Amino acid sequence: MRGRIHGLLCFVCLLGLFISFVTPTAYACSRGPTTLEEDFLEASAIFTAKVTSVDDVYPSQKAAVVESDKVFKGQSPAFVLTNDDSDQCGAGIEVGETYLFYSRGWDLPYVSVFDTHLLSTERAEKLTQWLSDRTQKQQPMPPRTESILAHRQGEIRIFFEHHDRGYSKKSFITNNSIYVPFSFFSESLWYSADWNEDKREIVIDTTNRLDFEESDPNVLLPPHSEAPKVISAAYNEIKIKVKSETLEEHPEAFVSGDEIFVPLRVVAEKLGYEVEWVHTTSSVILHLPLEQQSGPKTLAMRYINNTGLEGHLEIERLTANEITYRAYQGHLPEDIEVKPETVPFEEMLKEELGYRRYGIQFYLKMDKQDIRLLVSHELLRKIESDASFREKVGANLGEPMKRLPNNGILTELDFE
């Protein structure tokens, strides 16, 4: 997509590493021009919300708890994360104020100064009016046939959590929406998907089978990049019913060739998923919300390289004076065994070029996904300075958490 953010170095760093230890280099925050439509498409969620509290979190960010009011896209999160430095595109968020947020990311929804608009301002009023027009209920259109452009056909890769469903051969983007054959839900996600010819209705329902067999990477379709295609789309008032509810507001389904195509996002969200679109890799990730997941949510810990090198240390054991980890550099083939190493804990505190070499990261490990957690500064200092407290933290690693951290922030109280 043209006109992408060009000068937003800080923004890119935060999206990729905003829970890891960010090197505190000073630079001015700026970005190139974007269109309203580009901002809409790349946001994970767009909503208005009142800020009820703001907490400082490690490494140099703020987590703002919000009460959602109106949602224009996606599902509004319970909190948003931003940098605490305006030079690094941090948004100035005040308790008690109501904002229009364009959040990015799923488990740790990030907002920059460009994504946060005080609701009483002229800019926010113009945006909310544009969003209302953009998302208003579509009026029924008469049956017709149109020529439309199919973008990124063969390039869109779909994941169910970390399960790679491969590149979708027939899926594409048109009219700012991702379309998939309705059979995609039965063939790739194992939902029931049926076509009722008499009612001209697609019926997609739930399934008890979501235990995926991992696909053989050698048989997954490779990406196929080419110029947008002009295809014929026959619109004939096709209805979409998901879990016994007929969808009222959605981009129109249509017939092209011998396939019926439906908009992916509206169906996936009605099935209970949160949809993440990764523009740079043309990837769609379907996330099951944390509260809907069954099974244990175990605590895990890693250290992320903070010196510009790729890789991380996956922690297996933590004691008062030692730490055992497996070092992962980049993407290793699955058949390569990484042996554990045990070193004094002080190794984690070493600096390189004036900066801490590693930044700490906690997350919840589950069957279908990992959820990153925010960390309070007090917890970090306690881990680094108190050997007996490190024993407590180490005893909790690999164990189910008794309760989920409030607002995703891990504190000292979670280990008492």
Side-chain angles (χ1 to χ4, degrees), residues 33 56 59 67 162 170 202 221 241 244 252 304 328 393 398 400:
D56 292 328
E67 291 181 352
H162 61 261
K170 297 181 179 180
I202 295 167
L221 287 172
K241 180 181 285 187
S244 302
E252 289 182 273
I304 304 296
Y328 293 90
V393 174

Side-chain angles (χ1 to χ4, degrees), residues 186-323:
S186 59
E187 294 174 355
S188 296
L189 296 184
W190 295 339
Y191 284 88
S192 62
D194 301 298
W195 166 245
N196 187 318
E197 178 68 37
D198 295 334
K199 296 182 177 180
R200 301 203 61 75
E201 182 178 69
I202 295 167
V203 180
I204 299 173
D205 214 330
T206 55
T207 179
N208 293 324
R209 187 184 182 193
L210 283 177
D211 296 324
F212 288 106
E213 297 176 2
E214 295 297 339
S215 302
D216 183 347
N218 295 320
V219 301
L220 291 175
L221 287 172
H224 182 65
S225 178
E226 58 183 31
K229 287 183 179 179
V230 177
I231 65 174
S232 177
Y235 298 89
N236 196 14
E237 299 178 328
I238 297 173
K239 302 181 183 68
I240 304 174
K241 180 181 285 187
V242 180
K243 296 196 295 186
S244 302
E245 180 181 345
T246 299
L247 305 184
E248 297 293 339
E249 301 182 30
H250 60 81
E252 289 182 273
F254 57 83
V255 177
S256 183
D258 59 354
E259 297 278 0
I260 301 175
F261 289 89
V262 298
L264 173 62
R265 177 179 290 274
V266 67
V267 175
E269 289 181 345
K270 184 58 65 174
L271 288 170
Y273 297 104
E274 296 184 4
V275 181
E276 181 181 2
W277 165 249
V278 184
H279 169 76
T280 54
T281 58
S282 296
S283 298
V284 176
I285 308 174
L286 304 180
H287 299 284
L288 190 63
L290 181 61
E291 61 273 12
Q292 295 185 24
Q293 296 203 30
S294 59
K297 302 172 179 63
T298 59
L299 185 67
M301 176 183 178
R302 64 169 63 106
Y303 275 87
I304 304 296
N305 200 313
N306 186 43
T307 58
L309 301 176
E310 187 177 5
H312 68 270
L313 309 179
E314 199 73 26
I315 307 306
E316 292 196 350
R317 186 176 65 93
L318 176 64
T319 66
N321 300 309
E322 290 185 334
I323 188 166

Side-chain angles (χ1 to χ4, degrees), residues 47-341:
F47 57 97
T48 59
K50 182 178 181 180
V51 177
T52 60
S53 66
V54 178
D55 294 304
D56 292 328
V57 291
Y58 166 81
S60 57
Q61 296 167 309
K62 294 182 181 294
V65 178
V66 298
E67 291 181 352
S68 176
D69 178 25
K70 185 172 184 179
V71 180
F72 296 101
K73 178 184 178 183
Q75 302 177 37
S76 63
F79 69 92
V80 294
L81 185 70
T82 191
N83 203 287
D84 66 359
D85 185 350
S86 60
D87 282 345
Q88 296 181 352
C89 301
I93 299 176
E94 300 292 337
V95 174
E97 298 287 359
T98 300
Y99 299 88
L100 171 64
F101 291 109
Y102 284 64
S103 70
R104 301 166 189 267
W106 173 70
D107 52 350
L108 295 178
Y110 173 78
V111 295
S112 73
V113 65
F114 305 112
D115 308 314
T116 307
H117 310 277
L118 188 63
L119 203 57
S120 59
T121 61
E122 182 180 352
R123 173 64 173 169
E125 290 179 1
K126 290 181 178 179
L127 284 174
T128 52
Q129 183 59 57
W130 183 87
L131 289 166
S132 296
D133 295 339
R134 172 67 169 76
T135 58
Q136 68 180 348
K137 183 176 180 179
Q138 297 184 1
Q139 297 299 318
M141 298 285 286
R144 67 203 185 280
T145 299
E146 297 180 356
S147 293
I148 62 175
L149 274 177
H151 299 266
R152 302 201 185 192
Q153 190 169 37
E155 297 180 48
I156 299 174
R157 194 169 193 169
I158 298 179
F159 295 82
F160 175 84
E161 305 298 0
H162 61 261
H163 298 281
D164 187 354
R165 310 313 292 162
Y167 290 92
S168 182
K169 182 178 180 181
K170 297 181 179 180
S171 300
F172 52 82
I173 298 174
T174 189
N175 296 326
N176 302 317
S177 296
I178 299 171
Y179 277 83
V180 297
F182 89 94
S183 58
F184 162 82
F185 293 94
S186 59
E187 294 174 355
S188 296
L189 296 184
W190 295 339
Y191 284 88
S192 62
D194 301 298
W195 166 245
N196 187 318
E197 178 68 37
D198 295 334
K199 296 182 177 180
R200 301 203 61 75
E201 182 178 69
I202 295 167
V203 180
I204 299 173
D205 214 330
T206 55
T207 179
N208 293 324
R209 187 184 182 193
L210 283 177
D211 296 324
F212 288 106
E213 297 176 2
E214 295 297 339
S215 302
D216 183 347
N218 295 320
V219 301
L220 291 175
L221 287 172
H224 182 65
S225 178
E226 58 183 31
K229 287 183 179 179
V230 177
I231 65 174
S232 177
Y235 298 89
N236 196 14
E237 299 178 328
I238 297 173
K239 302 181 183 68
I240 304 174
K241 180 181 285 187
V242 180
K243 296 196 295 186
S244 302
E245 180 181 345
T246 299
L247 305 184
E248 297 293 339
E249 301 182 30
H250 60 81
E252 289 182 273
F254 57 83
V255 177
S256 183
D258 59 354
E259 297 278 0
I260 301 175
F261 289 89
V262 298
L264 173 62
R265 177 179 290 274
V266 67
V267 175
E269 289 181 345
K270 184 58 65 174
L271 288 170
Y273 297 104
E274 296 184 4
V275 181
E276 181 181 2
W277 165 249
V278 184
H279 169 76
T280 54
T281 58
S282 296
S283 298
V284 176
I285 308 174
L286 304 180
H287 299 284
L288 190 63
L290 181 61
E291 61 273 12
Q292 295 185 24
Q293 296 203 30
S294 59
K297 302 172 179 63
T298 59
L299 185 67
M301 176 183 178
R302 64 169 63 106
Y303 275 87
I304 304 296
N305 200 313
N306 186 43
T307 58
L309 301 176
E310 187 177 5
H312 68 270
L313 309 179
E314 199 73 26
I315 307 306
E316 292 196 350
R317 186 176 65 93
L318 176 64
T319 66
N321 300 309
E322 290 185 334
I323 188 166
T324 301
Y325 62 83
R326 295 177 188 266
Y328 293 90
Q329 304 294 330
H331 302 285
L332 294 176
E334 293 184 359
D335 56 347
I336 294 182
E337 180 183 2
V338 179
K339 295 182 179 180
E341 299 180 44

Side-chain angles (χ1 to χ4, degrees), residues 307-376:
T307 58
L309 301 176
E310 187 177 5
H312 68 270
L313 309 179
E314 199 73 26
I315 307 306
E316 292 196 350
R317 186 176 65 93
L318 176 64
T319 66
N321 300 309
E322 290 185 334
I323 188 166
T324 301
Y325 62 83
R326 295 177 188 266
Y328 293 90
Q329 304 294 330
H331 302 285
L332 294 176
E334 293 184 359
D335 56 347
I336 294 182
E337 180 183 2
V338 179
K339 295 182 179 180
E341 299 180 44
T342 299
V343 299
F345 180 77
E346 284 72 17
E347 288 290 322
M348 300 298 102
L349 307 181
K350 286 185 176 181
E351 294 186 355
E352 190 169 310
L353 301 177
Y355 300 111
R356 181 68 57 79
R357 182 175 182 183
Y358 293 105
I360 197 171
Q361 183 182 93
F362 282 93
Y363 60 99
L364 295 178
K365 196 171 187 63
M366 293 173 284
D367 290 339
K368 295 183 175 65
Q369 66 185 17
D370 296 336
I371 300 291
R372 290 172 294 178
L373 297 173
L374 301 172
V375 180
S376 72

